[in-house]
Amino acid sequence: MQYNRLAEYGVIGDGNTVALVGRDGSIDWCPLPHVESPSVFAALLDADRGGRFAVRPTSSFDSVQRYRDRTNVLETTFRTAGGEATVTDFMPIADATGSDDPPPAVYRRLECVDGPLELEIRFEPRFDYAREIPEVESIGDGVVATGDSDRAVLSSDLPIEPSASGHAASATVTLEADERRWLVLGYGEGVPLAPAAHRETLQRTLDYWQEWSHDCNGTDCSVGGRWHDLAVRSSLVLKLLIHRQSGAVCAAPTTSLPENLGGVRNWDYRYNWIRDAAFTVRALAELGHLAEARSYFQLCLDHCRQHDPAAVPPVYGLHGGSDFEERVLDHLEGYRGSAPVRVGNAARKQHQLDVYGELILAIYEAIRYGEAVTTDDWAVMCDLIDHVCAGWDEPDAGIWEVRSDPQQFVYSKVMCWTALDRGIKLAEAADGIDPPLERWRTCRDDVRTAILERGFSEHTNSFVRAFGDDDTLDSANLLVPIVGFLSPDDYRVQGTIDATLDRLATDDGLVRRYEGDDGLPGTDSPFVVTSLWLVTALALAGRTDEAADRFESVLEYASPLGLLAEAVDPETGEQRGNYPQAYSHIGLINGALSLADAAGSSAPSPDTPTPLGRDESLAALDSSEEIIRRPTRSERQ
C-alpha cells in the first residue's frame, strides 16, 4: 500500500494522546492510552501491517481538510461525482466530558452533505506497535477488539461486522443527503452509543478549544497581520502536545519518521526535551496562555529538584523519569521503507551541558512573567549553577545529540554562560539568599572569555561548532544574540549570520543544522526550527526585510492545515521527520513575535535586564532598580 505525504495529515488529541488523520480519511497513527504508549494504529510506519481506522468513499474522490475555527476539531470533506460528505474527527478533552479522567476516545461523525454517497469503513486495530493482532467480535452496537492486555471498542449506529479472518471489521454504507452517523472508538472501555450525547460532547469540545485559543478580536495583537493565523494554529498544536496532568511538552507525537527517506536518522520524539523549555515559556506567555507557561515553569523546577546536578537527563518521559530504553522494532518496514523504527531514545543517557542553561533560562523567563521561586527552589538552583561552575569546560554531546565522541561544543558553552548570567541576575534582584556571587561572576567571565577566544574563528568570521574548529559551522550559534550573550549588532554575531546564510542556508529559506561528523551515516534534511532561528537573529540584528522574506519562505512549507514537521526535504519540499514538531511551532511563534518587536513593539531586547516577579520569599529586592512583573505583549499594548 502507498504512504501519504506528512502534509496530508491533520492531528487531533485530548491532552493524553493524539491521532494522525489522513486527508484520505484514515487514522494511520494513534498510540493509546498515552502518546508514549504503544500504538493501536501504525499504518504510518508500515502501510500493510501497522493497522488503520479508515472512512472514505468507495468511488474516486477529492478531499480537503480544515480545522473548525480556533479548535483542534478536524473536518475532512470528500467530494465524488455523486455527492459530498464530511467526517468530523475529535478527541474530547476532560473538561468537555464532565469527567476528570475520561477513558481515551476518538469520535468520528459522518455527515452526508449531498447524496446519496457510498462510504467504506475499515477498522483494523493492531496492538503493541502491530506486534499483536487482536480478535475482533460483534457486540450490541459495534465491535470489540481484544488482545492479551489491550481492548478497543468501536460503537456505531452503522452495521459494522467482523471480517472473515476475525482480526478486523468493515462496513459499506450509503448515506442520504443530511444523514449523520457516528463512529466512537473507546480504549479499554466503550463509549455507549448516544448520538444526542455525542453532539453535546462535540459542542463542548469546540467550546473548550475556542475558549482556550488566543483571541485578540483583530486589534492590538502580539502577532497581528499576515502571520496571525499560523501563530494561533501553532499555539493549538502546542496545546495538543502538552500533557494535561504533568504540563510536559511532547517534542512530537510520532516516532521514527525519517529526517531523510531511506536513512537511519529515525528517532522517537514522544518525550519532553529540556532544550524546548525557555522558548516554550515565552511562546505560551506572549499569546496569553499563562497557565500552561506556569505549569511548564513548575516542571522545570521539578527537574532541578529530582536529580543530582551532575545527572540531569536532557529528556524526560511525559510522566517523569527517563527509563525509556531505545529499542528497534524490526518487524515494521518504516515510513516509506525507512528503517529502523525505534521506540525509546538513547539521548536520555547523554551528557548535554546546554540543558543547564535552558533550565535556568526557562525559570528566569517565567519569573519575568510573574512566577516566583521559594527559598527551597533557590537552594536547588544554586546547586545547579554551582555544578555549571565546576563542569562547564567538559566535552558533551551537544544540543544535536551527536552519536560521535563528545566535543567542546560552542553552543553548550554559551548555555553554560546563560545559566550563570541569569542566575546572577536573579540573585542580584533577591534578598534572603546568599549565593556565591563573586565565584559565579568570575566563572561567567571565564566562560565568556573562552567562547570568544576559542569559539570564534577569524578565518570564518563566525562562531564555529566546537573549540578547536576553524571552519565548521553550527546553526545553534544563531542563538548567541537571542540569549543575550552578545548584542545583535556585534560584528561576531553579524559574521555568524552571514556565514550561516552562505554555507548552511538554502535559497528557499531553509537552514541545515551543522557541518561535520556526528557519528551517523547519511545526511539530514534542513531543520525548520534552525530556519526560524535565522529569522529571529536577522530580526534582532535589524535586518527586518531579510527576516520577513525568510519567514515567508519557511511558512510556505507548512501543510495546508498550518502544521510543521521537524525538517524539509530541500529537493522535493516535502516535510520530513516527526510530525507535527513542537520545536518548529515554538520557533514559528517566536519568529513572529521577534518580527513584531522589530516592527516597533515596546518589548525589551533579549540582552536587556528585564523585570522579574517575586513572592514573600523574595520580598527584599535590590534597590538599584524597581522589580515588577513583566507584562505580556498583549497587556503592554
Side-chain angles (χ1 to χ4, degrees):
M1 297 183 70
Q2 293 185 338
Y3 290 86
N4 292 329
R5 294 181 299 122
L6 296 185
E8 294 174 346
Y9 285 102
V11 60
I12 59 173
D14 63 358
N16 287 314
T17 192
V18 302
L20 265 62
V21 185
R23 199 171 67 191
D24 59 357
S26 182
I27 295 178
D28 287 347
W29 175 253
C30 185
L32 288 168
H34 299 284
V35 73
E36 69 270 44
S37 299
S39 61
V40 172
F41 306 112
L44 187 68
L45 297 177
D46 193 310
D48 291 325
R49 288 174 288 184
R52 58 171 45 84
F53 180 14
V55 179
R56 59 173 67 103
T58 57
S59 59
S60 178
F61 62 85
D62 293 322
S63 62
V64 64
Q65 288 183 315
R66 75 177 187 102
Y67 282 109
R68 294 284 289 271
D69 184 41
R70 296 176 28 251
T71 78
N72 283 313
V73 175
L74 181 68
E75 293 182 342
T76 306
T77 298
F78 300 102
R79 296 183 179 91
T80 71
E84 178 179 324
T86 295
V87 178
T88 300
D89 287 304
F90 66 99
M91 299 181 73
I93 303 292
D95 296 10
T97 63
S99 170
D100 291 335
D101 191 24
V106 177
Y107 285 64
R108 315 197 75 179
R109 187 186 72 178
L110 286 56
E111 179 180 15
C112 184
V113 179
D114 181 20
L117 186 66
E118 188 176 69
L119 298 170
E120 63 174 342
I121 300 164
R122 296 174 60 194
F123 177 62
E124 299 174 353
R126 297 293 183 262
F127 297 139
D128 193 20
Y129 303 113
R131 288 183 291 198
E132 183 178 356
I133 301 176
E135 297 293 329
V136 178
E137 300 173 308
S138 292
I139 55 174
D141 290 317
V143 294
V144 58
T146 306
D148 290 341
S149 58
D150 294 278
R151 186 171 183 265
V153 182
L154 178 60
S155 302
S156 181
D157 49 9
L158 294 167
I160 299 175
E161 298 291 340
S163 63
S165 70
H167 300 306
S170 63
T172 300
V173 298
T174 299
L175 301 186
E176 302 294 336
D178 299 323
E179 185 176 359
R180 293 179 178 177
R181 298 291 183 176
W182 288 90
L183 297 162
V184 184
L185 174 64
Y187 178 79
E189 59 185 89
V191 178
L193 182 63
H198 302 339
R199 289 194 296 271
E200 184 177 355
T201 300
L202 171 57
Q203 187 58 55
R204 287 180 177 176
T205 303
L206 290 166
D207 291 343
Y208 170 85
W209 286 116
Q210 290 175 345
E211 290 169 5
W212 181 88
S213 179
H214 169 78
D215 183 11
C216 60
N217 297 317
T219 60
D220 295 330
C221 182
S222 56
V223 285
R226 61 189 184 275
W227 305 308
H228 176 272
D229 290 349
L230 277 173
V232 172
R233 175 51 52 194
S234 288
S235 70
L236 285 161
V237 172
L238 283 182
K239 181 62 173 173
L240 278 180
L241 299 179
I242 296 173
H243 192 274
R244 71 179 189 87
Q245 292 181 326
S246 69
V249 179
C250 176
T254 57
T255 180
S256 301
L257 295 180
E259 295 176 17
N260 60 303
L261 290 182
V264 300
R265 298 167 184 261
N266 315 326
W267 315 111
D268 191 348
Y269 274 13
R270 297 173 296 160
Y271 308 106
N272 173 234
W273 266 260
I274 291 175
R275 69 181 182 210
D276 301 352
F279 297 115
T280 301
V281 168
R282 180 177 186 245
L284 290 168
E286 285 291 357
L287 288 180
H289 304 305
L290 295 178
E292 286 74 18
R294 183 178 301 116
S295 179
Y296 204 51
F297 161 74
Q298 293 297 333
L299 185 71
C300 289
L301 286 175
D302 287 344
H303 289 336
C304 295
R305 294 187 193 103
Q306 291 171 2
H307 296 277
D308 179 273
V312 173
V315 56
Y316 288 81
L318 302 187
H319 297 84
S322 56
D323 56 350
F324 36 89
E325 181 181 356
E326 185 173 295
R327 296 173 289 119
V328 171
L329 303 180
D330 54 14
H331 65 287
L332 297 175
E333 75 167 10
Y335 177 74
R336 293 168 70 173
S338 298
V341 172
R342 294 184 173 94
V343 294
N345 200 302
R348 68 193 177 98
K349 292 184 177 180
Q350 286 188 339
H351 179 48
Q352 296 179 23
L353 284 170
D354 59 289
V355 302
Y356 300 106
E358 284 141 1
L359 270 174
I360 298 299
L361 182 59
I363 293 168
Y364 176 83
E365 284 295 305
I367 291 173
R368 292 169 70 196
Y369 290 108
E371 295 306 307
V373 295
T374 67
T375 51
D376 289 341
D377 295 330
W378 261 112
V380 174
M381 290 168 59
C382 286
D383 287 344
L384 206 68
I385 297 167
D386 283 340
H387 176 72
V388 172
C389 281
W392 70 267
D393 57 350
E394 299 173 358
D396 75 326
I399 186 175
W400 303 126
E401 301 174 348
V402 299
R403 302 207 172 188
S404 53
D405 291 337
Q407 297 186 52
Q408 299 279 3
F409 290 110
V410 171
Y411 175 73
S412 294
K413 311 308 179 188
V414 169
M415 293 314 293
C416 287
W417 175 92
T418 301
L420 290 159
D421 180 73
R422 297 314 194 273
I424 291 166
K425 283 182 168 63
L426 290 171
E428 289 173 341
D431 199 8
I433 60 170
D434 187 27
L437 274 174
E438 287 308 311
R439 181 157 63 89
W440 289 2
R441 291 185 183 114
T442 299
C443 185
R444 179 179 62 178
D445 292 343
D446 290 344
V447 177
R448 180 182 180 85
T449 298
I451 293 168
L452 295 178
E453 291 182 352
R454 301 171 61 192
F456 184 82
S457 167
E458 297 291 346
H459 169 73
T460 312
N461 192 34
S462 170
F463 285 103
V464 289
R465 189 181 178 205
F467 287 176
D469 286 347
D470 190 46
D471 194 33
T472 308
L473 300 185
D474 184 347
S475 65
N477 292 325
L478 292 167
L479 295 170
V480 163
I482 296 172
V483 301
F485 180 79
L486 288 175
S487 171
D489 60 3
D490 188 283
Y491 78 93
R492 290 161 291 199
V493 170
Q494 296 284 347
T496 300
I497 292 173
D498 289 337
T500 301
L501 285 166
D502 182 49
R503 290 170 44 180
L504 294 179
T506 71
D507 293 338
D508 296 325
L510 302 173
V511 176
R512 292 187 294 116
R513 290 184 295 168
Y514 50 82
E515 299 170 328
D517 178 57
D518 60 7
L520 291 166
T523 60
D524 59 351
S525 297
F527 267 38
V528 173
V529 72
T530 56
S531 308
L532 294 167
W533 288 346
L534 177 57
V535 169
T536 299
L538 286 166
L540 287 173
R543 297 162 64 169
T544 310
D545 289 343
E546 285 182 78
D549 287 346
R550 288 203 161 259
F551 196 46
E552 293 283 5
S553 295
V554 175
L555 297 185
E556 289 180 3
Y557 293 104
S559 79
L561 292 170
L563 307 184
L564 290 164
E566 179 182 31
V568 175
D569 187 317
E571 300 298 324
T572 66
E574 288 190 35
Q575 300 205 46
R576 295 281 181 258
N578 286 303
Y579 174 91
Q581 178 85 357
Y583 219 10
S584 299
H585 287 280
I586 293 164
L588 188 155
I589 294 171
N590 284 313
L593 292 169
S594 296
L595 284 166
D597 285 348
S601 168
S602 60
S605 63
D607 59 334
T608 302
T610 51
L612 50 145
R614 60 176 178 175
D615 67 358
E616 292 180 357
S617 66
L618 302 177
L621 300 168
D622 191 303
S623 61
S624 64
E625 60 176 326
E626 181 183 6
I627 307 297
I628 59 172
R629 183 180 79 85
R630 182 194 183 198
T632 65
R633 185 177 282 98
S634 59
E635 291 171 333
R636 292 195 298 271
Q637 294 175 333

